[in-house]
Amino acid sequence: MKVLGIESSCDETAAAVVCDAPEPEDRILSNIINSQIQLHAKYGGVVPEFAARSHAKVIDKVINEALSQANCTLDDIDVIAATASPGLIGGLLVGTVCAKTISALTNKPYMPINHLEGHLLTCCLCNNIDFPFMALLTSGGHFFFVEVLGVGEYKILGKTLDDAAGECFDKVAKMLGFEYPGGIAIQKHAKSGDPNRFQFPIPLQRRPGCDVSFSGLKTAVKNLISSFDNLSYQDKCDISASFQKTVVHFIIKQLGKALRMSSHHPKTLVATGGVAANSELRGALTAFSSQHNLHFYAPPLPLCTDNATMIAWVAIEHLSSGYPIIPIL
Ligand code: KG4
Ligand code: ZN
């Protein structure tokens, strides 16, 4: 089975052809991503109207490239899958209308896909992983601790009460005057910083459960920045490193609670979504996993952030396990 996946929910126009080969390394036949980073960089964040216009401009080219890189035509495709939610409505419209049009013209099924389920199952595309597993889904707009019991069976143990971690990285980077997107910028500048120079409060210390909150941390960074008359580059690096260390420490702390709350004793931990590309977080999750006897998986860096292979893969997972597509998160 070959699926054409289309992703356009935020600032990447992506298309991919993925098949259901038994070995993970044989599954991705193509993966094309047209990033809008340059378009949005001067505004310090995604401008939805510009994003939608850019998706509309390039989507046909991106799909054609995905087909040609996979060495196939629409005749070889069995299903067309596109991100239907959540995301920016202009981009979602471009992707889903395009997918539905191809579906109508070729008489092949269209499957609307939940973007978060895409992130959640990316590690199953890249590795043959047994259920159940514990997942940390941390992207620009969402944060969840989820017990993945099977395809379509997701038990949310914790979530953010306000901002997502990626959003917090982006806003702190903007406050420091760093380039967009902020997560990568913070990680880069933190490498030259002292993570112990500033102590930020750990959120939700006394709250039961494993929910998270990042807006207080963002305010703490804002207050610290305004206490300076002049921020040197070294100050900015030290703030980045101290902030990143706090985020990682907080996520690990809440993950420990999530693991204790899980009733299915998962033997595997999966981290996914854009923030899972963060090297400090990946290092801390690797250490956490070995302490707790868990196998740890995170997608390769280009598949942590938005892409269309994950969208095609959700369609394959659902079709191969006979589950209907259910909007879950
Ligand atoms: O999953 P994603 O591509 O898009 C959403 O579905 O939101 O995640 C994008 C988010 C952005 O907030 C970006 O700053 C963050 O992931 N990000 C990172 C890193 N790379 C991307 N955050 C921290 N460290 C990174 N290396
Ligand atoms: Zn995403």
Side-chain angles (χ1 to χ4, degrees):
M1 184 199 320
K2 280 192 183 125
V3 175
L4 171 65
I6 297 173
E7 157 61 36
S8 57
S9 64
C10 189
D11 56 350
E12 261 99 23
T13 318
V17 178
V18 177
C19 74
D20 58 351
E23 295 307 322
E25 57 273 22
D26 300 329
R27 290 175 184 154
I28 299 178
L29 305 180
S30 65
N31 179 21
I32 304 294
I33 302 175
N34 180 80
S35 168
Q36 301 178 356
I37 284 180
Q38 295 213 324
L39 177 67
H40 302 294
K42 58 176 175 287
Y43 305 102
V46 179
V47 184
E49 173 72 13
F50 292 164
R53 284 174 188 275
S54 174
H55 289 306
K57 196 168 162 190
V58 303
I59 196 150
D60 49 344
K61 187 166 155 265
V62 168
I63 290 172
N64 279 331
E65 272 180 49
L67 290 169
S68 117
Q69 190 181 79
N71 212 5
C72 66
T73 69
L74 284 175
D75 287 345
D76 306 307
I77 299 294
D78 299 293
V79 174
I80 298 104
T83 304
S85 72
L88 300 172
I89 189 64
L92 294 173
L93 273 171
V94 171
T96 53
V97 168
C98 187
K100 286 180 192 179
T101 308
I102 297 173
S103 155
L105 289 173
T106 57
N107 212 17
K108 297 184 180 200
Y110 158 69
M111 287 176 77
I113 304 294
N114 182 296
H115 179 87
L116 299 177
E117 193 175 16
H119 280 304
L120 210 50
L121 299 182
T122 307
C123 280
C124 304
L125 159 64
C126 306
N127 311 272
N128 287 328
I129 299 178
D130 290 333
F131 299 110
F133 60 81
M134 170 69 76
L136 159 65
L137 196 174
T138 174
S139 69
H142 298 89
F143 188 105
F144 293 102
F145 293 115
V146 190
E147 251 186 313
V148 179
L149 308 176
V151 175
E153 291 180 73
Y154 309 116
K155 188 173 164 202
I156 295 174
L157 300 173
K159 58 182 180 342
T160 181
L161 302 176
D162 40 58
D163 294 350
E167 193 177 349
C168 189
F169 267 98
D170 292 339
K171 286 181 178 156
V172 166
K174 198 169 177 179
M175 288 184 229
L176 291 171
F178 289 153
E179 63 276 17
Y180 163 86
I184 305 165
I186 294 278
Q187 176 179 310
K188 183 174 103 188
H189 298 293
K191 286 196 166 59
S192 319
D194 173 4
N196 298 315
R197 178 166 164 205
F198 302 107
Q199 308 305 318
F200 294 115
I202 304 291
L204 306 180
Q205 292 269 44
R206 280 188 288 276
R207 187 187 160 96
C210 62
D211 287 334
V212 298
S213 160
F214 292 100
S215 73
L217 189 53
K218 185 182 65 187
T219 308
V221 175
K222 187 168 181 254
N223 291 341
L224 175 67
I225 292 173
S226 31
S227 73
F228 279 81
D229 287 335
N230 250 322
L231 267 186
S232 68
Y233 176 65
Q234 191 55 52
D235 294 332
K236 291 183 182 188
C237 293
D238 293 346
I239 292 174
S240 300
S242 304
F243 161 75
Q244 182 176 254
K245 181 184 155 196
T246 309
V247 170
V248 171
H249 175 74
F250 178 48
I251 291 177
I252 296 291
K253 198 159 182 272
Q254 299 305 86
L255 175 61
K257 294 190 197 169
L259 204 59
R260 288 195 288 280
M261 284 167 68
S262 87
S263 43
H264 296 83
H265 310 292
K267 295 192 175 58
T268 301
L269 171 68
V270 155
T272 186
V275 181
N278 185 275
S279 53
E280 289 297 312
L281 180 59
R282 287 168 94 98
L285 290 168
T286 307
F288 176 93
S289 300
S290 64
Q291 272 164 23
H292 292 82
N293 285 323
L294 295 164
H295 299 288
F296 174 58
Y297 296 95
L301 297 188
L303 299 189
C304 284
T305 43
D306 291 348
N307 66 88
T309 66
M310 66 183 197
I311 303 305
W313 184 250
V314 172
I316 291 179
E317 287 275 25
H318 277 272
L319 290 167
S320 10
S321 52
Y323 285 103
I325 293 282
I326 310 166
I328 33 96
L329 292 172

